[in-house]
Amino acid sequence: MSEVPAGGPAADAASTVLVVILADDLIWATRLDRIVRIAGAVPTMTATLPAYETALAVCEAAIVDLAARRADPVAAIAAAAAAGRPVVAVGPHADLAARKRALAAGADRVFAYSKLHEDGPRTVAAWLGRSRAAAVVR
C-alpha cells in the first residue's frame, strides 16, 4: 500500500477527520481501519446499524462495506446521506447491482475492494480532502 503524500489530511493534526466504518468482515474491517489511519483520519469501527448510527452523530464521514451481513449497507449509506455526511461504499467490482443501490442511496463514490487494496490510503486521503472542501463550501 502507498503512503499518503505530504500535504494530505495527515499533514495537519487540527484537520483530523473522524470516520465511521460499517464492516463486519474481520479482514476488511481491519484493512479499512488501517487505510483510514494511514490516510490521517480517525476510524470508528461498527458492525451493526445502531452502533453505526450512534457513531455517525459524531463522525464527519462514513465508509460502508457493501458486503456487510449484520447491517443493511444501503440503509447505512442513506443514513449518512440524510445526516449530510460524505459517504463512500466499498465492495466487489463485479457487483454492479450493489453499486447502483449504493449510489441511489446517496453514496458519493463506490470503490472496488481491489482499488483500496492497491492504493487505499491515497484514495481515502484524496476523498477526505475533497469531502472536507465540499463541506466548507456548503
Side-chain angles (χ1 to χ4, degrees):
M1 274 189 222
S2 303
E3 296 299 317
V4 177
D12 178 8
S15 70
T16 300
V17 178
L18 303 175
V19 179
V20 59
I21 300 170
L22 175 70
D24 58 15
D25 175 82
L26 181 60
I27 292 172
W28 269 105
T30 302
R31 284 183 181 164
L32 290 171
D33 179 89
R34 181 175 181 274
I35 287 167
V36 168
R37 287 179 194 282
I38 293 171
V42 177
T44 298
M45 298 303 304
T46 63
T48 65
L49 198 54
Y52 171 84
E53 290 174 336
T54 298
L56 188 60
V58 297
C59 288
E60 301 164 75
I63 298 176
V64 176
D65 183 353
L66 292 174
R69 297 171 307 271
R70 295 175 54 200
D72 179 353
V74 174
I77 292 166
R85 305 293 192 276
V87 56
V88 295
V90 299
H93 74 277
D95 193 345
L96 299 179
R99 177 185 179 84
K100 287 179 183 177
R101 287 191 304 273
L103 292 170
D108 300 316
R109 300 277 312 265
V110 180
F111 294 117
Y113 289 136
S114 59
K115 174 65 175 167
L116 292 188
H117 184 69
E118 293 167 7
D119 198 23
R122 187 177 310 272
T123 300
V124 170
W127 168 68
L128 289 172
R130 283 192 299 272
S131 296
R132 177 157 279 212
V136 170
V137 173
R138 288 182 206 167

